[in-house]
Amino acid sequence: MIRRERHEVWMRRALSVASSSPRDVPVGAVVLDPDGGELSAAGNERELTGDPTAHAEILALRRAAAVRGEWRLDGCTLVVTLEPCTMCAGALVLARVGTLVFGAWEPKTGAVGSLWDTVRDPRLNHRAEVYGGVLEAECARLMRGFFR
C-alpha cells in the first residue's frame, strides 16, 4: 500500500474516534507502532474530565507510552484529525514521535505550520516527519458540524 493510502486508512480510524465523543470538540488521535499496529486511540476529554490538557493527542500519547512501557515513542506515528496546538506539538516532539499525520489545518491555534511550526523547529532536539491535509475536507466537515 502506498503511503497516501495508508495515511488515509489511519485517518479514517482517527475520524471514527473523533466521532465517538459527542460532548467535546471532535478531535481523534491514534498512535501507531513502527509496524503500523495501533498502540492507542483517544478523543478529546476536556469536557468529560474538566482537564484542560485532555486533548486527544496528549491522551493518545500517554496511553501509547503506557502500552510500550516507556515515554520514548521513537518510530511511532501520531495520526490526528486536526493540526496540533502548541501543547500537543511540543508533547509529540518530547515523546520523539517519528511521524505526524494530520487532517484539517487549524489557522487559529495550529503549531505545525499555521501559526508556528514547533514540530519542525531546527532549534529542538527532535523533528518529526509531517504529512498534513490528509482527508482534510472530511476532518474539517466534522469540526464545522460540531460548531453549528
Side-chain angles (χ1 to χ4, degrees):
M1 185 180 320
I2 63 171
R3 182 182 348 228
R4 186 73 179 181
E5 289 172 349
R6 185 175 54 226
H7 290 175
E8 288 179 0
V9 168
W10 294 341
M11 188 60 70
R12 290 193 193 292
R13 170 68 177 128
L15 279 162
S16 170
V17 172
S19 297
S20 68
S21 180
R23 289 191 57 222
D24 214 320
V25 176
V27 177
V30 179
V31 177
L32 303 147
D33 68 22
D35 297 321
E38 186 174 312
L39 289 171
S40 66
N44 275 349
E45 294 182 9
R46 292 179 309 166
E47 297 298 328
L48 176 69
T49 62
D51 178 355
T53 69
H55 289 202
E57 301 95 309
I58 298 294
L59 298 173
L61 291 171
R62 286 178 184 160
R63 293 170 187 167
V67 168
R68 289 190 73 177
E70 64 174 328
W71 63 267
R72 286 180 184 87
L73 299 176
D74 295 314
C76 291
T77 299
L78 173 63
V79 180
V80 61
T81 57
L82 186 66
E83 179 185 3
C85 69
T86 52
M87 175 180 68
C88 296
L92 77 93
V93 167
L94 293 173
R96 313 294 196 270
V97 169
T99 305
L100 168 66
V101 177
F102 71 88
W105 293 89
E106 177 37 284
K108 294 180 181 177
T109 62
V112 188
S114 288
L115 293 180
W116 301 281
D117 201 349
T118 303
V119 175
R120 293 174 285 208
D121 190 319
R123 297 168 294 181
L124 298 177
N125 62 335
H126 177 77
R127 281 170 294 291
E129 188 173 5
V130 177
Y131 299 91
V134 176
L135 299 181
E136 180 177 6
E138 291 176 51
C139 294
R141 188 170 32 255
L142 183 63
M143 293 296 287
R144 279 192 309 274
F146 179 79
F147 287 108
R148 285 189 183 166

